[in-house]
Amino acid sequence: VQLQASGGGLVQAGDSLRLSCAASGLTFNVNYMGWFRQAPGKEREFVGGFGWLSGRTIFSDSVKGRFTMSRDLAKRTVYLQMNMLKPEDTAVYYCAVHPAGRSTYEFWGQGTLVTVSS
């Protein structure tokens, strides 16, 4: 399984950015594709998840109302649309896959850096 995350960059507070995560090598069913982030000196935290079949999304309280997720089934790509970015959103963002029948996310992309200046 390979997850290719892209779209990070340097933006100003209040700006928007869209991250993409393209998955390949998925030979099993997927429960969720999710986004996590890790800021310097902090632990990795959950950002949002997308139910692969249901299309339902769930977000952490810190991004709810500002971030949305969507998918392109044909491209096996999940997008994280980040609006009204804040400096505290600065982190390396990782996408991950939660296989069906498993209890957690097991496959991770390489991460893409998002920097939000004030």
Side-chain angles (χ1 to χ4, degrees):
V1 176
Q2 286 192 329
L3 300 175
Q4 183 67 43
S6 61
L10 172 63
V11 297
Q12 293 186 333
D15 284 351
S16 298
L17 205 59
R18 190 178 80 159
L19 305 184
S20 300
C21 177
S24 60
L26 289 174
T27 58
F28 47 82
N29 293 327
V30 173
N31 268 350
Y32 304 99
M33 285 191 71
W35 288 95
F36 293 74
R37 67 186 182 186
Q38 187 166 20
K42 295 187 177 181
E43 294 187 352
R44 185 175 61 197
E45 65 171 348
F46 174 78
V47 174
F50 193 104
W52 196 245
L53 294 180
S54 69
R56 294 178 181 174
T57 56
I58 182 171
F59 295 96
S60 66
D61 288 342
S62 60
V63 306
K64 197 176 296 182
R66 298 188 296 122
F67 291 12
T68 60
M69 291 181 69
S70 60
R71 64 154 182 238
D72 184 325
L73 278 174
K75 295 181 179 179
R76 296 204 168 190
T77 298
V78 170
Y79 304 97
L80 180 67
Q81 177 66 43
M82 305 184 294
N83 300 322
M84 297 180 288
L85 283 162
K86 303 175 181 179
E88 51 263 43
D89 294 319
T90 295
V92 177
Y93 283 71
Y94 300 90
C95 60
V97 170
H98 185 305
R102 313 295 282 191
S103 61
T104 188
Y105 289 86
E106 294 191 351
F107 300 95
W108 297 84
Q110 84 288 0
T112 184
L113 176 63
V114 173
T115 304
V116 184
S117 64
S118 57

